[in-house]
Amino acid sequence: MKKIILLVVAILLLTGCNVKYEINITKDNIYEKVSLISENEVDNESITSYDIPILSFVDDIGSSDENVEIDGLEYYNLNKEYNGFNNLYLNYTFNWDNYLKSNIVNNSVSSFRIDKDDNQISIYTGSFIKAFEKSNGINNLEVVVNVSNDYDIITSNANSVVGNTLTWNITKDNYKNSPLNLTIKDKNINNNNNKPQINNNNHNNNENNNEIEVDNTRSIIIAVLSVILFLIVLGIIIVISKK
């Protein structure tokens, strides 16, 4: 079985440019977007002539040099804008099962791992060595992770965090030691776990109130019986004294 690693970064980053890699995390999907800003019109024209598969590992498809769309493969959406600079945008919406094979990610970092269970997600990457060493002139790489309000951010090594947006700034000076680590937790599951505790507390309060009421009733009965016993004894003493 033949596995081909499509070197997307080598195609995209032909000359000096700034790159922004962005993902939006929700419970069901990861929206991935890459923005490239370059002043070189020639390079951008060559980029738009490529169809780029979303997956980095493709089996038995032939040579990656052939720019021919293949049935069964999905490709990035590619858009271009011109406003004094040449802006290129690649984007695709992944599910959690196939994001691990993202072509952009796997051709940018030295390693990539996702740990996911019902209430917590952890994302780990190696350093962004591939992104810089496979390109001819990337200047700056900004990585932005937006987390939906369904999650709380537990830990990260981001350079800055504003609300639920985390940002990593990667340059030629630090790319060899710039991994991305992030752990988020489902806040809705936490709230559900707290509900039984509230109900239990109310139940305990009711039990304590009942116990207080029983104790008060016992005290009243004992007091009444004591008075009756005292009156009986007093009556007996009076009768005996008259005799």
Side-chain angles (χ1 to χ4, degrees), residues 134-178:
K134 288 180 181 179
S135 69
N136 292 328
I138 179 172
N139 294 323
N140 296 292
L141 171 61
E142 181 183 21
V143 179
V144 178
V145 177
N146 297 299
V147 181
S148 76
N149 289 327
D150 293 321
Y151 293 99
D152 286 324
I153 299 171
I154 306 303
T155 61
S156 82
N157 65 341
N159 297 119
S160 66
V161 180
V162 179
N164 270 28
T165 299
L166 305 98
T167 302
W168 287 259
N169 297 307
I170 302 165
T171 68
K172 293 179 180 179
D173 295 328
N174 66 12
Y175 75 89
K176 291 183 179 179
N177 187 27
S178 57

Side-chain angles (χ1 to χ4, degrees), residues 1 15 24 27 32 39 65 92 97 109 116 132 163 188 194 219 243:
M1 182 173 289
T15 62
N24 295 328
K27 284 191 172 182
E32 182 184 58
E39 297 183 20
D65 295 330
Y92 187 81
D97 292 331
V109 297
K116 186 174 185 291
F132 282 81
N188 295 322
N194 289 334
S219 299
K243 292 181 179 181

Side-chain angles (χ1 to χ4, degrees), residues 2 30 32 36 39 44 51 53 68 76 79 87 114 120 138 141 151 155 162 164 180 186 189-190 195 214 217 223 238:
K2 183 179 181 182
I30 303 94
E32 182 184 58
L36 300 99
E39 297 183 20
N44 284 341
D51 295 315
V68 178
Y76 281 100
N79 301 302
N87 299 339
I114 298 175
Q120 187 165 294
I138 179 172
L141 171 61
Y151 293 99
T155 61
V162 179
N164 270 28
L180 183 154
D186 190 332
I189 292 180
N190 289 340
K195 288 181 180 179
V214 171
T217 302
I238 292 174

Side-chain angles (χ1 to χ4, degrees), residues 2 4 23 29-30 34 63 128 154-155 159 183 201 217 237:
K2 183 179 181 182
I4 298 175
I23 60 172
N29 299 309
I30 303 94
V34 180
S63 173
F128 285 76
I154 306 303
T155 61
N159 297 119
T183 298
N201 290 335
T217 302
I237 293 173

Side-chain angles (χ1 to χ4, degrees), residues 29-75:
N29 299 309
I30 303 94
Y31 173 76
E32 182 184 58
K33 179 180 178 180
V34 180
S35 305
L36 300 99
I37 301 175
S38 174
E39 297 183 20
N40 191 316
E41 178 70 18
V42 175
D43 282 347
N44 284 341
E45 287 295 339
S46 65
I47 293 171
T48 56
S49 67
Y50 281 87
D51 295 315
I52 303 171
I54 64 168
L55 303 181
S56 60
F57 300 100
V58 183
D59 297 332
D60 298 329
I61 66 170
S63 173
S64 60
D65 295 330
E66 298 174 4
N67 185 31
V68 178
E69 287 197 8
I70 299 170
D71 291 340
L73 293 185
E74 295 185 68
Y75 295 82

Side-chain angles (χ1 to χ4, degrees), residues 62 101 133 149 173 176 206 211:
K101 296 181 179 180
E133 296 189 352
N149 289 327
D173 295 328
K176 291 183 179 179
N206 291 333
E211 291 176 0

